[in-house]
């Protein structure tokens, strides 16, 4: 087995606890990983003057692979999301989120096995915004009126939704290539092209064009996002690989996670042409941070995705088998899962759950 150096960004909030648990499990699965710790988040503001120090970006670039815990983004301040900045700086244009039922995890369905492929660089997440009352907002409002594009109230704040041919081709092609590589049968594109003709309409047109290249090898269909949400709740087994523009993908990820046991078990990855950063779907959960209550499964399953990416397929499979075993046994599960299942067994702490996984890996 090869040794790999991986950048570990623990993040803040529950990230500190879930990252420590993830490290223990990766060490127990036999993979040979050297961790290079790098910091990001509000706590770096005092020491480094920025929430995303250059040294952290350099560390990811050097090792090409990173795993990170969640990072808090204060709401309604000038503080821009570190997560969005990392994705932009490193060209991580794909957000990949497998959603798979785990036995005993309290999901509403036990037959979910789908993959969310979310565009990660543009759409309403592009960060192109004009503050209400600003000169920029005024000019944009005037331009819309002059162009006959529509009337916007003068006291509006504006977020721009750019969707390009380039990024849409890249993400849809990634979804089809992923389907081919992993033996999946169908790609579905989710959109709101009936209303946003020039942004979502473009995304859908490009999706149809790219789909033609894969005709006969991977099936394709599309779904309007609101219908998609309803279909997900009533029968998620009809979906296989689903490709989304950025914002819908963000929302659909949480919806999908909710169907199989919640955010505590939903892993993810941000992938670019050169670099990959693995991270759970969930945020920093300030309401339970520092209490040893967090469920580290999502970050641990993100580490399994990272091991796949590094070519350590057997080590990744061992982690997944251990997770399935501990969930199926149902003896040692964290409070989020106990709440979902309505179980009256006591909730395990983050540490106790990790101990159970390490013990399963030692068998
Ligand atoms: P959240 O995901 O942190 O929490 C939502 C709910 O799920 C909370 O009740 C929380 O306790 C629970 N939860 C989440 N993860 C859990 C886990 N592993 N185990 C047990 N329970 C868990 O979402 P939020 O409250 O909207 O966001 C909190 C902060 O996290 C915000 O600042 C947000 O910007 C940030 N955030 C960061 C990332 C990231 O770093 N990738 C992603 C999403 C949100």
């Amino acid at each position: 087995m090869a040794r790999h150096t991986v950048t570990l960004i623990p993040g803040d909030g529950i990230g500190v606890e879930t990252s420590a648990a993830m490290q223990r499990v990766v060490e127990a699965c036999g993979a040979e990983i050297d961790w290079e710790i790098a910091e990001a988040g509000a706590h770096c503001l005092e020491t480094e003057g920025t929430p995303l120090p250059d040294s952290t970006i350099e560390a990811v670039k050097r090792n090409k692979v990173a795993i990170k815990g969640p990072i808090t983004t204060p709401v309604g301040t000038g503080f821009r999301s570190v997560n969005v900045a990392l994705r932009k700086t490193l060209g991580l244009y794909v957000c990949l989120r497998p959603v798979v039922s785990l036995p005993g995890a309290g999901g509403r369905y036990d037959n979910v096995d789908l993959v969310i492929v979310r565009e990660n660089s543009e759409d309403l997440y592009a960060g192109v915004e004009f503050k209400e009352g600003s000169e920029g907002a005024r000019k944009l409002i005037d331009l819309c009126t002059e162009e006959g594009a529509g009337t916007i109230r003068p006291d509006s704040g504006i977020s721009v939704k750019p969707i390009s041919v380039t990024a849409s081709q890249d993400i849809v092609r990634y979804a089809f290539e992923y389907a081919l590589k992993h033996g999946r049968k169908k790609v579905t594109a989710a959109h709101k092209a009936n209303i946003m003709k020039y942004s979502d309409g473009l995304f859908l047109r490009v999706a149809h064009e790219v789909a033609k290249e894969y005709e006969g090898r991977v099936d394709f269909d599309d779904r309007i996002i609101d219908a998609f949400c309803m279909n997900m709740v009533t029968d998620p087994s009809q979906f296989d690989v689903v490709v989304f523009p950025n914002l819908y993908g963000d929302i659909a990820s949480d919806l999908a996670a909710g169907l199989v046991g919640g955010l505590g078990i939903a892993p993810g990855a941000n992938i670019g042409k050169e670099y990959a950063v693995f991270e759970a779907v969930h945020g920093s959960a300030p309401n339970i941070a520092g209490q040893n209550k967090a469920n580290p499964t999502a970050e641990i399953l993100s580490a399994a995705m990272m091991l796949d990416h590094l070519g350590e397929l057997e080590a990744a499979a061992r982690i997944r088998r251990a997770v399935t075993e501990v969930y199926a046994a149902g003896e040692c599960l964290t409070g989020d899962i106990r709440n979902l299942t309505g179980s009256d067994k006591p909730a395990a702490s983050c540490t106790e759950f990790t101990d159970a996984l390490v013990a399963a890996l030692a068998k």
Side-chain angles (χ1 to χ4, degrees):
M1 191 179 291
R3 280 200 91 77
H4 307 273
T5 306
V6 167
T7 303
L8 169 60
I9 306 170
D12 53 35
I14 59 167
V16 180
E17 297 151 69
T18 57
S19 295
M22 179 280 297
Q23 272 183 289
R24 283 186 61 203
V25 169
V26 170
E27 272 149 34
C29 83
E32 299 195 19
I33 305 290
D34 294 321
W35 305 103
E36 187 179 351
I37 311 290
E39 295 295 336
H43 59 285
C44 296
L45 264 178
E46 285 166 27
T47 47
E48 312 264 350
T50 165
L52 181 56
D54 288 345
S55 55
T56 296
I57 294 187
E58 287 314 312
V60 181
K61 287 188 172 169
R62 194 164 47 246
N63 299 321
K64 304 226 178 317
V65 176
I67 184 159
K68 71 175 271 293
I71 293 172
T72 308
T73 306
V75 177
T77 65
F79 187 104
R80 284 240 173 246
S81 164
V82 170
N83 304 305
V84 174
L86 254 183
R87 290 168 200 165
K88 272 193 175 178
T89 313
L90 298 169
L92 307 174
Y93 70 103
V94 181
C95 180
L96 191 62
R97 291 173 167 176
V99 183
V100 183
S101 302
L102 260 178
R108 288 176 188 271
Y109 296 93
D110 54 14
N111 59 349
V112 182
D113 180 8
L114 61 90
V115 179
I116 285 177
V117 179
R118 164 188 169 195
E119 202 287 325
N120 225 2
S121 68
E122 49 183 30
D123 193 353
L124 283 162
Y125 265 71
V128 184
E129 298 200 290
F130 296 90
K131 192 166 188 261
E132 151 254 321
S134 68
E135 179 63 8
R138 191 192 56 72
K139 283 186 185 159
L140 194 54
I141 291 166
D142 289 349
L143 178 72
C144 291
T145 311
E146 279 160 37
E147 293 286 320
T151 315
I152 300 176
R153 288 196 181 93
D155 56 352
S156 300
I158 303 171
S159 301
V160 179
K161 175 179 164 120
I163 295 217
S164 69
V165 171
T166 308
S168 301
Q169 282 174 340
D170 281 351
I171 197 68
V172 176
R173 198 159 277 130
Y174 185 94
F176 275 97
E177 288 297 324
Y178 181 95
L180 275 183
K181 191 170 166 199
H182 295 84
R184 292 197 172 255
K185 303 269 177 292
K186 185 177 73 173
V187 171
T188 302
H191 60 86
K192 189 81 183 173
N194 50 327
I195 301 297
M196 282 159 279
K197 297 187 189 306
Y198 298 139
S199 49
D200 285 23
L202 178 155
F203 178 81
L204 180 60
R205 189 190 81 220
V206 168
H208 275 283
E209 286 163 8
V210 173
K212 283 208 181 79
E213 298 169 23
Y214 295 86
E215 230 164 41
R217 294 184 291 162
V218 181
D219 293 342
F220 174 73
D221 64 5
D222 72 90
R223 217 52 72 92
I224 292 178
I225 188 67
D226 36 350
F228 167 83
C229 291
M230 200 267 291
N231 296 155
M232 271 292 282
V233 173
T234 52
D235 178 16
S237 70
Q238 65 191 286
F239 296 110
D240 196 351
V241 175
V242 193
V243 61
F244 300 85
N246 204 337
L247 182 66
Y248 307 144
D250 182 36
I251 298 166
S253 299
D254 279 32
L255 169 69
L259 294 177
V260 297
L263 287 171
I265 65 164
N270 299 291
I271 297 172
K273 296 197 167 137
E274 282 187 83
Y275 313 111
V277 178
F278 295 82
E279 65 175 338
V281 174
H282 64 73
S284 56
N287 55 334
I288 55 166
Q291 299 171 35
N292 202 12
K293 283 184 181 168
N295 184 349
T297 308
E299 191 166 336
I300 289 165
L301 291 176
S302 304
M305 292 174 75
M306 177 191 82
L307 291 169
D308 281 340
H309 180 85
L310 291 168
E312 302 295 348
L313 305 185
E314 184 43 41
R318 272 201 292 277
I319 291 182
R320 292 192 183 101
R321 275 199 298 274
V323 168
T324 306
E325 193 181 307
V326 169
Y327 273 83
E331 292 305 319
C332 189
L333 297 172
T334 46
D336 55 325
I337 303 295
R338 290 283 184 239
N339 288 341
L340 271 180
T341 54
S343 163
D344 51 12
K345 288 186 182 160
S349 67
C350 180
T351 312
E352 287 162 342
F353 171 77
T354 311
D355 290 343
L357 275 184
V358 170
L361 282 162
K363 278 186 199 158

